[in-house]
Amino acid sequence: MANDKEKVLHIVMLPWLAFGHMIPNLELAKLIAGKGHRVSFVSTPRNIERLPKVSQNLATLIDFVKLPLPKVPNLPENAEATTDVPYDVVQYLKKAYDTLEEPFTHFLESSKADWLFYDFAPFWAASVASKLCIRKAFYSICTPPFLGFLGPPSVLMGHDSSYRQKPEDYIVAPPWVPFPTTVAFRYYEIMRIVDSLSSQNNSGVADTNRFGVSIQNCDIVFIRGCTEFESEWFHLLESIYQKPVLPVGQLPSTAPVGGEDNDTWRWMKGWLDKQARGSVVYVAFGSEAKPTQDEVTEIALGLEKSKLPFLWLLRVQRGPYDPDVLRLPEGFEERIKGRGVVCSSWAPQLKILEHVAVGGFLTHSGWTSVVEAVQNEKPLVLLTFLADQGINARVLEEKKMGYSVPRDERDGSFSSDSVADSLKLVVVEEKGKIYRERIKEMKDLFVNGERQDRYIDNLIHNLKSLSKC
């Protein structure tokens, strides 16, 4: 805890309305509060209610600030996070989020904050803080390779028009990356998110512009990551941003306080307890990624063909207003009865990955899921869908930490055979041993408590040294 004679900082955190963003923000808030500093965590009422509860000893230092989300056309009632809406409605969520600028300004005026940590989506937040003489940090839960691939603010904001004119420009390493790398999107990956790269999207602001303005207007950049894992990318970012870029660690997940000892976990644990050690494939694609119906069919048939036991968390809808409800192939559940289970309700991922029966993880490559897998030494089979997942997958491929299911380079299609073969390779076959061993080798880089503590101490030291406006 902070020495009584030392300055106690007050940090306001403003994450984007996606649980893949809010949870890493909350993990960082807990680490900062654990050093005796105050955090105001700003989000909407329903999101705050759905966040994991913090422990009693930190509750007095973390204040949850609820800002009601204004209504905008085409955004359903009670939709406050990306998990509540289909993909094509997310830009309306950003439009509603942008209208929080005024109420957020009112809060910040009375907050007596020393620092504002903001995400990519509220690109307007830094200018609000500047007017109030509050220092501002761009805190990215996206990885250094993703930010490095996106490039400098001048490119992101469209000031340098010689780059990124068409989707094909995103499937090669950019010229500002001075070292050899395979880090780039596949064509099908960029085409799934190409709408977000245009200012013609329904929020009126391109995601690239949000990133560019957010980076340009901050005093310092903090990134989820560690220099020992991706040093060349940190050096690149300092070079192209021309401002301090510091790691905050991989932020391994801590178990929520309460809420996991529910009926779903009890039956899952009972089923997992009956399976052989390291034999079960865990399948989950996070809170945002939703496969198409064709993809679900191939995944299901691939799991069936693999002959491996499996536990599949299948989100059949993105929120109650999603018209496309996913279905399993006819007769599938009867055929795999006893060997596999499919769950369409919430389940505690960290608990599942901790279980000794789980021997592999078929994942979308969202970084929180990656960190949780490494934390529990579970090898990765990669199947990307959205956002930064393709870039994350390239990093994991380069470092032999994960194996991507083979797909058609143009449309991203894959077969049930390729799913089955990939699972068997990573979980049981001798030639996939490298993935099982590599994930264990990487564990210390991701979950070393002393290193994580040093990162937070360094973060606070920098906040204090730069805290004068």
Side-chain angles (χ1 to χ4, degrees):
M1 302 292 276
N3 188 301
D4 288 342
K5 294 178 183 177
E6 292 180 356
K7 175 178 172 57
V8 174
L9 296 171
H10 178 202
I11 296 160
V12 173
M13 301 184 82
L14 183 64
W16 164 232
L17 307 179
F19 282 94
H21 288 243
M22 289 183 279
I23 297 296
N25 269 267
L26 184 57
E27 290 293 344
L28 182 57
K30 289 191 288 186
L31 291 169
I32 291 170
K35 300 290 184 180
H37 301 281
R38 290 179 54 220
V39 178
S40 292
F41 189 102
V42 182
S43 193
T44 64
R46 189 161 175 246
N47 287 335
I48 287 172
E49 292 303 319
R50 291 184 285 182
L51 286 170
K53 300 294 179 267
V54 299
S55 60
Q56 205 166 351
N57 65 313
L58 298 179
T60 56
L61 289 166
I62 301 177
D63 182 33
F64 290 95
V65 179
K66 299 178 180 179
L67 296 183
L69 192 67
K71 295 186 190 310
V72 298
N74 302 307
L75 186 66
E77 192 78 24
N78 293 322
E80 296 185 11
T82 54
T83 190
D84 299 327
V85 294
Y87 175 75
D88 60 0
V89 181
V90 168
Q91 297 300 341
Y92 294 112
L93 185 66
K94 285 182 183 147
K95 193 170 188 175
Y97 189 61
D98 289 342
T99 64
L100 284 177
E101 180 176 353
E102 185 178 345
F104 179 71
T105 301
H106 294 323
F107 161 72
L108 214 54
E109 285 170 343
S110 61
S111 69
K112 296 182 179 176
D114 298 295
W115 278 87
L116 167 64
F117 284 23
Y118 61 95
D119 210 329
F120 85 99
F123 64 103
W124 36 264
S127 60
V128 171
S130 290
K131 290 171 188 171
L132 300 172
C133 209
I134 296 169
R135 285 290 199 179
K136 59 269 183 219
F138 173 53
Y139 169 40
S140 174
I141 62 91
C142 297
T143 62
F146 179 72
L147 292 178
F149 178 80
L150 287 185
S154 60
V155 171
L156 289 163
M157 296 162 67
H159 297 160
D160 190 338
S161 58
S162 57
Y163 305 109
R164 304 269 169 84
Q165 295 299 302
K166 55 190 184 301
E168 285 81 0
D169 296 333
Y170 287 86
I171 65 174
V172 293
W176 54 81
V177 177
F179 45 85
T181 182
T182 60
V183 169
F185 283 107
R186 302 282 187 256
Y187 182 78
Y188 60 85
E189 290 168 338
I190 198 64
M191 291 310 295
R192 285 199 175 195
I193 59 170
V194 72
D195 62 303
S196 67
L197 306 177
S198 167
S199 60
Q200 304 303 308
N201 71 50
N202 290 319
S203 81
V205 185
D207 279 3
T208 44
N209 196 62
R210 290 179 189 272
F211 271 102
V213 175
S214 297
I215 294 160
Q216 179 164 287
N217 292 345
C218 71
D219 298 310
I220 192 167
V221 177
F222 292 121
I223 308 181
R224 182 185 196 178
C226 69
T227 49
E228 293 88 344
F229 180 67
E230 47 218 343
S231 60
E232 70 276 23
W233 292 100
F234 274 100
H235 293 315
L236 171 65
L237 291 174
E238 288 218 318
S239 171
I240 63 176
Y241 292 171
Q242 291 295 295
K243 58 183 65 180
V245 178
L246 296 177
V248 300
Q250 297 290 5
L251 306 176
S253 300
T254 52
V257 178
E260 290 203 345
D261 189 24
N262 58 14
D263 289 340
T264 302
W265 172 238
R266 275 192 286 273
W267 73 252
M268 276 185 182
K269 184 178 184 303
W271 182 82
L272 286 167
D273 287 345
K274 296 172 187 170
Q275 310 306 314
R277 185 186 185 96
S279 66
V280 175
V281 175
Y282 171 55
V283 185
F285 304 120
S287 60
E288 289 193 62
K290 181 192 171 193
T292 65
Q293 181 58 63
D294 285 346
E295 288 169 341
V296 164
T297 298
E298 295 304 319
I299 292 166
L301 296 177
L303 288 165
E304 186 177 349
K305 288 177 178 179
S306 75
K307 307 294 185 189
L308 296 168
F310 64 87
L311 171 56
W312 186 3
L313 297 191
L314 173 62
R315 287 193 69 216
V316 297
Q317 283 177 286
R318 274 186 59 147
Y321 298 94
D322 185 352
D324 300 317
V325 182
L326 298 173
R327 290 175 175 79
L328 292 165
E330 191 173 345
F332 171 74
E333 288 179 280
E334 187 60 38
R335 295 193 301 274
I336 55 88
K337 200 168 188 179
R339 179 167 68 81
V341 289
V342 181
C343 174
S344 57
S345 62
W346 180 88
Q349 176 161 291
L350 201 55
K351 289 282 190 189
I352 296 167
L353 286 168
E354 284 173 354
H355 201 283
V356 295
V358 174
F361 184 9
L362 177 57
T363 174
H364 59 309
S365 309
W367 205 251
T368 293
S369 289
V370 170
V371 173
E372 290 179 349
V374 178
Q375 201 173 343
N376 292 287
E377 301 181 1
K378 308 302 183 187
L380 300 165
V381 181
L382 313 172
L383 196 60
T384 63
F385 296 99
L386 287 174
D388 58 350
Q389 295 160 18
I391 299 299
N392 294 345
R394 299 303 93 72
V395 173
L396 296 167
E397 291 161 6
E398 278 191 353
K399 295 180 181 287
K400 300 294 184 191
M401 294 170 65
Y403 177 83
S404 288
V405 174
R407 302 169 78 162
D408 183 280
E409 290 285 326
R410 295 296 291 179
D411 65 14
S413 60
F414 54 89
S415 69
S416 56
D417 287 335
S418 64
V419 172
D421 292 344
S422 301
L423 294 174
K424 287 186 289 187
L425 170 73
V426 171
V427 178
V428 296
E429 291 177 0
E430 182 62 27
K431 62 181 177 180
K433 189 177 179 182
I434 185 171
Y435 301 105
R436 300 191 289 276
E437 292 182 342
R438 192 76 172 133
I439 221 80
K440 292 176 183 176
E441 292 168 8
M442 286 291 179
K443 182 175 179 177
D444 185 66
L445 281 182
F446 278 64
V447 297
N448 182 295
E450 288 182 10
R451 182 185 293 109
Q452 180 66 70
D453 198 50
R454 283 199 305 273
Y455 281 139
I456 301 305
D457 284 342
N458 189 46
L459 176 149
I460 290 167
H461 170 76
N462 277 273
L463 294 180
K464 287 182 175 180
S465 64
L466 294 171
S467 62
K468 294 277 191 273
C469 186

